[in-house]
Amino acid sequence: MIRLGFWRGVVAAALVVAIAACSENGDPTDVGDGSDFEGFWTLTVDVTETSGVCVGEEDEPPSIRETLITQEGAEITATAIWTDESGSVSLTGTRTGDQITFGGSYAEDGGTTSAFYTLRIGEGTLNGSEVWSWSGPGLGCPTGLSTVTGVPR
C-alpha cells in the first residue's frame, strides 16, 4: 500500500513543474527569459535616419506591423505585410541567446526595400533596430535606420 505522503510529494512536484512552465503572471506570451517569444507581435517601426530620396521620412509617423514570429531550432521567420505593395512576406534569420536577427527584401513604392532587424527579447517586449535601404528606377536611399519596439498582440 502506498502512503498518503508519497502522493503529496507527487502532487507537489507536478505543481512545481506546472508553475515553472508558466511565466510569473501566467501569461504564455510573456517572454520572461526569452525562451518562448513565438507568436503575434505588434512591431512599431520609427524611422530615425535616412539618406537619398528618403530624407524627410524621419518626420513621418511610425509604421505599425502586425508580425508573426516563429522559431525552429535557431531559425527565425518573421511574417508580415511589410507594405501594401509587398503583401505578406516572410523574412528569415536566427536567434542567439536573447537576440533575434532577421531580414530580406520586399517590394515597396515601385522599387525594392532590403531590411535587416536586430531585436533583443525582453520581459514581454522586443526592442532594437532596423537597418534598411531602398532602390527604385534611377533613385535610391542607400541607408536608413529605424528604432523598433514590439509587444505581444
Side-chain angles (χ1 to χ4, degrees):
M1 175 183 248
I2 298 176
R3 296 183 3 191
L4 186 56
F6 171 79
W7 288 111
R8 283 185 189 153
V10 169
V11 170
L15 185 57
V16 168
V17 169
I19 290 171
C22 293
S23 63
E24 288 180 48
N25 63 6
D27 180 358
T29 61
D30 182 3
V31 296
D33 66 356
S35 60
D36 184 17
F37 67 94
E38 293 184 87
F40 286 95
W41 289 82
T42 300
L43 299 182
T44 302
V45 181
D46 190 13
V47 175
T48 57
E49 296 178 31
T50 58
S51 63
V53 297
C54 297
V55 169
E57 287 188 18
E58 307 91 326
D59 301 326
E60 295 182 13
S63 300
I64 305 297
R65 298 183 180 143
E66 300 300 334
T67 308
L68 172 62
I69 300 176
T70 59
Q71 177 178 353
E72 187 171 325
E75 304 278 321
I76 297 295
T77 302
T79 303
I81 297 175
W82 301 104
T83 66
D84 291 337
E85 189 176 346
S86 72
S88 181
V89 175
S90 294
L91 306 180
T92 58
T94 59
R95 174 184 179 175
T96 304
D98 66 348
Q99 182 171 289
I100 59 174
T101 58
F102 56 89
S105 298
Y106 51 86
E108 183 175 23
D109 295 332
T112 301
T113 294
S114 295
F116 300 91
Y117 292 77
T118 301
L119 304 174
R120 185 155 315 279
I121 304 165
E123 294 281 340
T125 63
L126 296 173
N127 291 292
S129 63
E130 172 197 38
V131 177
W132 54 272
S133 64
W134 177 86
S135 62
L139 302 171
C141 304
T143 58
L145 181 63
S146 302
T147 58
V148 181
T149 56
V151 294
R153 190 173 74 165

